[in-house]
Amino acid sequence: MAFDGVQLLDVSGPAEVLTTANSYGARYDLHVVSPTGRDVRTSSGVRVGVDGTPAELPRRVDTLVVPGRRDWRRAVADTDLVHLTAALAARTPRVTSVCAGAFVLAEAGLLDGRRAATHWELARELAAAYPRVRVAADPLFVRDGPVVTSAGVTAGIDLALALVEDDHGPHLARDVARQLVVFMARPGGQSQFSKRLAPEPSEGTVVRRIMDTVTADPTDDHSLDSLARQSGVSARHLGRLFRAETGMTPGQYVEAVRLEAARALLEAAPDTVEEVARRSGFGSSESLRRVFQQHLGVAPTAYRARFRTTAACTASGPEERGAEPA
């Protein structure tokens, strides 16, 4: 579903994934439609041709993809767009959105009572505008029943790869990822951005000093009592400061930093899972597995296998790029 002002990559990213899958045996029949049936001008000024209106689609539509525009208020104010989206969703078993496309789904009532993702910068606006939506600010994409919503722009590629994997299995999806030179595939629960790159409190504050301490050495003793002693405040006061300035508890931040460290080690190093757990501060492989399942929905070994595929593509010669990872 395309419309004026839509972000180009929200449309072209998933479309490229699905049509590339056809080269490896899939049979996606892609249609780009707009409420008016006329071509649309994207946010970048590039014009996208469409195949007509939703009324001209085949009766059977398996998947609806709704992209977004940065000025989401303009999109949800387009009553034709919202009504046509709702009508299509009513006869479509799988409904998805990319980035701010979640606002269109929300306006159509398709996200009421569901978990949903959008670009991290828009998460608070989605939650405020649509309080019946349970907004997940961090994941790349979120599944809730037949509805799948994704974060910003390139996350639409991750979303589309996940759809291909659902439809045709991991091997075909991996072939598509290799062809497009993208990771196969970032788990939907993976954070949209590094905890070290997240907005941080100003220099010199108690919370900023503790955050710097944790990121400098995730393996150190970062219990609440230990952090409180280092900061010179009570554990209860430190917890209040942390929640006020970061939206999370000290323990949640420590776990997030250790998870990021473990991901980096799994992507780059040949260490065993037990060694990765030790080097990232989790202590045991069981603790590492529990946190990976909780936050990413995959085991550490499965996470490593996905990234090893791409690493093999970048490091190997052309004759080796089709090989499966060990």
Side-chain angles (χ1 to χ4, degrees):
M1 176 71 81
F3 49 92
D4 283 330
V6 72
Q7 294 191 118
L8 176 60
L9 196 55
D10 285 9
V11 178
S12 61
E16 196 66 35
V17 170
L18 297 175
T19 54
T20 300
N22 288 344
S23 302
Y24 295 94
R27 298 183 63 185
Y28 292 109
D29 183 17
L30 183 71
H31 297 261
V32 180
V33 296
S34 70
T36 64
R38 296 191 295 270
D39 294 352
V40 302
R41 186 174 292 279
T42 66
S43 58
S44 62
V46 175
R47 189 174 292 277
V48 171
V50 305
D51 300 308
T53 68
E56 298 170 69
L57 288 173
R59 181 59 195 167
R60 172 176 173 151
V61 178
D62 295 302
T63 304
L64 170 64
V65 181
V66 180
R69 62 176 293 170
R70 189 69 178 175
D71 183 3
W72 59 266
R73 292 175 181 83
R74 293 281 297 275
V76 301
D78 185 340
T79 55
D80 285 343
L81 170 63
V82 174
H83 291 159
L84 288 169
T85 297
L88 264 179
R91 60 186 178 97
T92 305
R94 186 167 62 185
V95 178
T96 73
S97 69
V98 182
C99 197
F103 287 86
V104 178
L105 297 191
E107 182 69 18
L110 300 171
L111 298 182
D112 287 354
R114 297 187 185 277
R115 291 183 71 242
T118 188
H119 191 288
W120 63 271
E121 284 189 329
L122 300 176
R124 289 185 180 178
E125 295 178 44
L126 181 62
Y130 301 97
R132 298 174 74 177
V133 180
R134 295 185 290 126
V135 180
D138 208 20
L140 287 172
F141 59 88
V142 168
R143 299 175 186 265
D144 193 326
V147 180
V148 192
T149 52
S150 81
V153 287
T154 58
I157 294 175
D158 296 285
L159 167 69
L161 282 168
L163 300 182
V164 171
E165 184 169 0
D166 288 346
D167 296 338
H168 299 284
H171 293 293
L172 192 146
R174 189 175 295 118
D175 287 337
V176 175
R178 279 199 293 257
Q179 179 64 32
L180 297 179
V181 197
V182 295
F183 282 126
M184 175 54 203
R186 296 186 291 180
Q190 184 171 320
S191 175
Q192 294 182 36
F193 55 93
S194 167
K195 293 298 177 188
R196 294 179 176 87
L197 298 181
E200 292 186 346
S202 301
E203 289 282 357
T205 66
V206 169
V207 172
R208 179 61 183 271
R209 290 199 301 272
I210 293 300
M211 293 173 77
D212 289 344
T213 297
V214 173
T215 56
D217 184 6
T219 66
D220 204 354
D221 175 15
H222 296 312
S223 65
L224 181 57
D225 288 340
S226 174
L227 294 176
R229 284 195 300 271
Q230 294 178 57
S231 63
V233 300
S234 70
R236 179 175 295 182
H237 186 53
L238 179 62
R240 284 197 296 264
L241 290 175
F242 239 89
R243 283 189 292 271
E245 296 187 39
T246 70
M248 65 182 101
T249 67
Q252 288 171 331
Y253 183 77
V254 171
E255 185 171 89
V257 170
R258 286 173 174 169
L259 177 60
E260 185 175 324
R263 281 173 31 209
L265 289 168
L266 288 168
E267 293 165 22
D271 298 335
T272 65
V273 171
E274 193 70 41
E275 180 67 9
V276 168
R278 186 189 65 78
R279 292 180 61 190
S280 58
F282 284 105
S284 71
S285 58
E286 184 56 38
S287 295
L288 179 64
R289 291 188 186 96
R290 176 184 56 78
V291 173
F292 260 69
Q293 287 290 350
Q294 178 182 347
H295 291 276
L296 305 181
V298 296
T301 50
Y303 181 90
R304 166 176 273 164
R306 296 182 180 202
F307 281 87
R308 274 186 171 176
T309 300
T310 303
C313 289
T314 57
S316 303
E319 70 281 0
E320 299 177 43
R321 291 179 184 172
E324 292 295 328

